[in-house]
Amino acid sequence: LALLASLLLAFGLRLAPWGENRFLEDEALYATWGLQIATGTDPMLDREPVDKPPLHPYTLAQSYRLLGLPPRLPGAAGGYEPAARLPSLLASMASIALVYALGRDLYGDARVGLLAALLLALSAFDILFASTAFTDPLMTALVLGAMLAAARGRLGAAGLRAALAAATKQQGLFFLPLVVGAGLLSPGRARESLQQARPVRGHRFRGALAGAWQRPWLRFALGFAVVAAGVIWWDLARDQRPGFLEQGLISYGGLGSAEGELLGERAAGWLGLVGGFWGSPLGSGLLLAAILLWFAGSLFGWWPGWSRIDRLLAVFLLCFLLLH
């Protein structure tokens, strides 16, 4: 009931800004790619300098079709923006449920999952992104889905979902250490590692293949490779050159380390963004203070220290921000 209440609250908050803001440039561009696919005008995006992997524009195309678009009558285009926003709304709601399940599975306590789900439900960033046509909400939901599958020892599914996250936005590759870490440190992974591989009778090749499939991390690699192969095929089959990875570097002006004198300015900019995660610097500051108090208390033995999952999340978050 508490989870259901959090989801209903989250849904209401995410519908509140629905349609208040028109598309930004990137949103309009992504929505146009989806429209080219949905209408059959350019189903492979051969004439578009695409700088993103293919999953998001094809998801937008399916959203258009689900809502009966494109319209048959000229000029009846009023439904395009809501249709392009629908995947982000659904992904945002899915992320809240996935965060609950992750908190429960990784910590063995449903209250941890409920607190995490409520914090995400109230996050101003997530509320606003849920009414956009950006790639990030779908990528985030797939990353969380990959983490949950890894935490439950379903590493084949984890590899598939991690690859789908990267097929939504190439930055999804940054989250691979988090997915692998969840698989290595979770109770579900520990249980699977104790299972004995069952002998397979019959043809030697079939037995070897089945034996290989029983190796959890090989399943992860194979699941990832299946999606990656599809993305590579799509990129090579398109007439437009360069491919989306190189085009991404062109669109963003290249990729490299920042000059030393800019690091302070960039760090301040990132802290400003992080300060708005829960609507105001005050709310984010209170949350940060609680985390620091928890850390200090664990050092002095006032309460149990950080678990391996806590350390994994803290190190990943720190490295993620420092890298950017």
Side-chain angles (χ1 to χ4, degrees), residues 154-170:
R154 298 172 53 214
L155 295 183
L160 278 169
R161 294 172 188 176
L164 287 172
T168 304
K169 188 176 184 180
Q170 47 266 60

Side-chain angles (χ1 to χ4, degrees), residues 198-203 206-207:
R198 293 176 297 174
V200 179
R201 297 178 181 178
H203 194 274
R206 220 176 11 170

Side-chain angles (χ1 to χ4, degrees), residues 17-196:
W18 191 270
E20 283 190 7
N21 302 309
R22 299 304 304 274
F23 278 165
L24 295 175
E25 292 86 348
D26 285 351
E27 292 177 273
L29 180 62
Y30 303 154
T32 301
W33 293 346
L35 183 61
Q36 297 292 322
I37 297 168
T39 59
T41 304
D42 189 5
M44 289 290 288
L45 299 179
D46 286 320
R47 297 187 292 274
E48 298 283 341
V50 176
D51 58 5
K52 293 290 187 293
L55 184 59
H56 187 249
Y58 285 92
T59 301
L60 294 183
Q62 292 305 314
S63 181
Y64 293 148
R65 290 167 178 163
L66 179 67
L67 297 181
L69 298 172
R72 296 181 180 275
L73 298 177
Y80 281 112
E81 287 193 14
R85 291 186 171 113
L86 184 61
S88 291
L89 175 64
L90 297 178
S92 176
M93 296 300 299
S95 292
I96 296 170
L98 287 165
V99 161
Y100 164 76
L102 271 171
R104 182 193 59 194
D105 285 21
L106 292 176
Y107 290 90
D109 189 343
R111 293 173 298 179
V112 175
L114 283 172
L115 178 59
L118 183 60
L119 286 172
L120 182 57
L122 297 175
S123 168
F125 255 44
D126 198 70
I127 290 170
L128 292 176
F129 265 98
S131 61
T132 69
F134 285 119
T135 56
D136 305 83
L138 180 58
M139 180 195 70
T140 301
L142 289 166
V143 167
L144 292 170
M147 288 183 65
L148 182 62
R152 293 179 174 178
R154 298 172 53 214
L155 295 183
L160 278 169
R161 294 172 188 176
L164 287 172
T168 304
K169 188 176 184 180
Q170 47 266 60
Q171 281 88 335
L173 294 172
F174 292 159
F175 295 92
L176 276 177
L178 201 56
V179 176
V180 172
L184 290 173
L185 300 181
S186 69
R189 172 73 185 98
R191 284 195 300 271
E192 179 154 328
S193 66
L194 296 176
Q195 293 178 351
Q196 298 295 325

Side-chain angles (χ1 to χ4, degrees), residues 213-269:
W213 184 247
Q214 289 175 355
R215 298 174 185 175
W217 288 107
L218 180 58
R219 293 206 301 271
F220 180 90
L222 289 174
F224 192 94
V226 167
V227 177
V231 171
I232 293 171
W233 172 86
W234 171 83
D235 198 31
L236 294 177
R238 295 171 59 236
D239 294 336
Q240 181 75 25
R241 294 290 99 191
F244 73 88
L245 286 175
E246 186 178 350
Q247 184 63 49
L249 294 177
I250 295 171
S251 297
Y252 290 106
L255 182 65
S257 57
E259 298 177 6
E261 59 269 20
L262 296 178
L263 289 178
E265 178 184 343
R266 293 194 176 193

Side-chain angles (χ1 to χ4, degrees), residues 295-320:
F295 180 66
S298 65
L299 287 179
F300 291 104
W302 299 340
W303 42 69
W306 287 27
S307 68
R308 294 183 300 171
I309 292 294
D310 298 327
R311 292 192 289 270
L312 169 68
L313 292 171
V315 169
F316 176 83
L317 178 60
L318 182 62
C319 291
F320 189 87

Side-chain angles (χ1 to χ4, degrees), residues 257-299:
S257 57
E259 298 177 6
E261 59 269 20
L262 296 178
L263 289 178
E265 178 184 343
R266 293 194 176 193
W270 273 97
L271 288 176
L273 291 174
V274 172
F277 277 5
W278 279 272
S280 70
L282 176 61
S284 300
L286 288 173
L287 185 63
L288 178 61
I291 294 174
L292 293 176
L293 179 62
W294 174 33
F295 180 66
S298 65
L299 287 179

